[in-house]
Amino acid sequence: MSPAVMLPLKEKDKPIVQKLLSAGCCARCVLRFCCVSVHAAYRQPHQETLKELQTFISSDTENGKSQDPDPAAPESTEEDNKSQDASVSEASDDPPSKKAKLDPGVSDAPPEGVKESDVCMLCLGILQDLCGPSRAVKIAETVKTENYTFDTLVLSVSLPAQLCVREHSCWLHVKKEVREKSSVLDKDDVIQVKEAFKWVMQGLVAKELGGVAVVTKSQFEVGVEFIHPETDADCHFLATTCGDCFKPTKNKLSMFTRMAVVKALEKISDSKFLKHFPCPPTRPSSSCTAQDIQCLHVSVFVAGRYNKFCRSLPQTPWVIDGERRMESSVEELIAAPVLSSFRADGFNFSSSGREDVDVRTLGNGRPFAMELLNPHTSRLSRAEMKQLQETINNSSDKIKVRDLQIVSREAMGRMKEGEEEKTKSYTALIWTQKPIQREDITFIDEIKDLTLDQKTPLRVLHRRALAVRQRVIHTMNARFLDPHHFHLGLRTQAGTYIKEFVHGDFGRTKPNLCQLLKTDTDILELDVESVDVDWPPAIPE
Ligand SMILES: *[C@@H]1O[C@H](CO)[C@@H](O)[C@H](O)[C@H]1NC(C)=O
Ligand SMILES: *[C@@H]1O[C@H](CO)[C@@H](O)[C@H](O)[C@H]1NC(C)=O
Ligand SMILES: *[C@@H]1O[C@H](CO)[C@@H](O)[C@H](O)[C@H]1NC(C)=O
Ligand SMILES: *[C@@H]1O[C@H](CO)[C@@H](O)[C@H](O)[C@H]1NC(C)=O
Ligand SMILES: *[C@@H]1O[C@H](CO)[C@@H](O)[C@H](O)[C@H]1NC(C)=O
Ligand SMILES: [Zn+2]
């Protein structure tokens, strides 16, 4: 172990140290309340620190005795080599005779409280045996097992809410001493459990992971969570003093969340608090337990353009009354290989508009973007990206993908912005009831910027509000096929309902092609030829 660190404590801190130790505070919590911000002081084993603190408080009053630390103080430096329930493990670690037989006899010594149980009444064990090398090994093992690729990581720590209550009680306990005698000025100066925990653990975890930087901000978060069986019991009284602060929440186990507890503590008066909660806090019956370690990488965003060559493929899974109508979808065909390349847990798919199930998307394709949730791989080289695109292309004849690339979350917004102003080009195969001749349709080519009033189509009325929208067809051209068929090309404002323009939707779209040609017309096939959104940027081959 590293050589002992000189604790940066001053003579005037002595009464606080004494008071905290006898109340059952662990050594690191004592440092916190003395506002010690020297990280190294927290990094040494807490048992070492405890010995130093005991020496510190006994040095003046009992001159010379300082070299004789309490024989019953915990000696194990094998940090964490105990079960997480310190009160159980203590029996097996130390010769039972020492504690059980000796302690009750010397009950007047100041640091007495510390000897009865190892569990700190303030941090509930978090800064004791839950904070050291073996915990770091566990965290590192989990991270390694999940096989993420990352350069840096950030530790996030979630603590049971009653730590705030206990912290408040302890503050009230030492407040008078603090104000008059020590260098501590305010409750906010007290080092937080979370901070102290990170000061100890960041370096240890970094070392276990072969020197990766553990930083305060990173794309990759490793979540360490502690819970305690007495959270509700400790916090319960706050619900009677501030009913508004606590609301049952659906996805939380307890309504005593940290935020709610902090809010309630801000509102309660000191005297009222002291009526309901012991000061100093009493010993807990057990220490916190560590929950499974949760790894989370921020989302990666991937964008590209897709072609759809099939007239029986929906864009997204088509489910009616819980039953699947089509075996696949554009979204799924693209997502499956992408998810497996980035080893992501899930995705959100969005695109610049969408086509109907029976409409093809040709030309350069339709821009799309995907949010990949919790990707275990967050970067692909240009070559890997090209290979992924090829895998998608090879997987089906129904779709193809181009310009596949990683984009930023912000850039994704560009796909949606100004969507309404963009233009789209289509080709439709038209059927006419009355026979036509070549000359009958040439007038269509002359029509420019035709404004349509489109009532919400009948076929989408179940999911869209009824409204009349104006849309512009910028240009059209007609190519004669036979007396009942021709190809109609259109360049329109985005959002124009093409099918309704052709058949009229029972007069709900005006003007419509039936009126223009003075015969019933219908649309047999529709292709999107281009979606004029210049995002994402083209990737040169
Ligand atoms: C604790 O340490 C002992 C000896 O150092 C070792 O044999 C034992 O496996 C350790 N137990 C745990 C749970 O790590
Ligand atoms: C970890 O991921 C890499 C790719 O990033 C892969 O090559 C390797 O086989 C994976 N290892 C395990 C144990 O899954
Ligand atoms: C993305 O998907 C997740 C779950 O799949 C969902 O919780 C989240 O709200 C979605 N986000 C967006 C922006 O759609
Ligand atoms: C995938 O198909 C699209 C459309 O045909 C093509 O532009 C692109 O180059 C293809 N990409 C690869 C890597 O095969
Ligand atoms: C895609 O198919 C081509 C032609 O069959 C093949 O040469 C290539 O290796 C395939 N690529 C991938 C990534 O599967
Ligand atoms: Zn503590």
Side-chain angles (χ1 to χ4, degrees), residues 78 80-82:
E78 194 65 58
D80 292 36
N81 188 357
K82 296 176 176 185

Side-chain angles (χ1 to χ4, degrees), residues 156 159 211 430 449:
S156 78
L159 303 173
I430 309 293
D449 294 323

Side-chain angles (χ1 to χ4, degrees), residues 339-359:
L339 281 184
S340 97
S341 278
F342 285 88
R343 298 183 295 141
D345 288 351
F347 68 91
N348 287 327
F349 187 92
S350 61
S351 61
S352 178
R354 51 162 52 206
E355 64 282 311
D356 289 338
V357 58
D358 56 351
V359 174

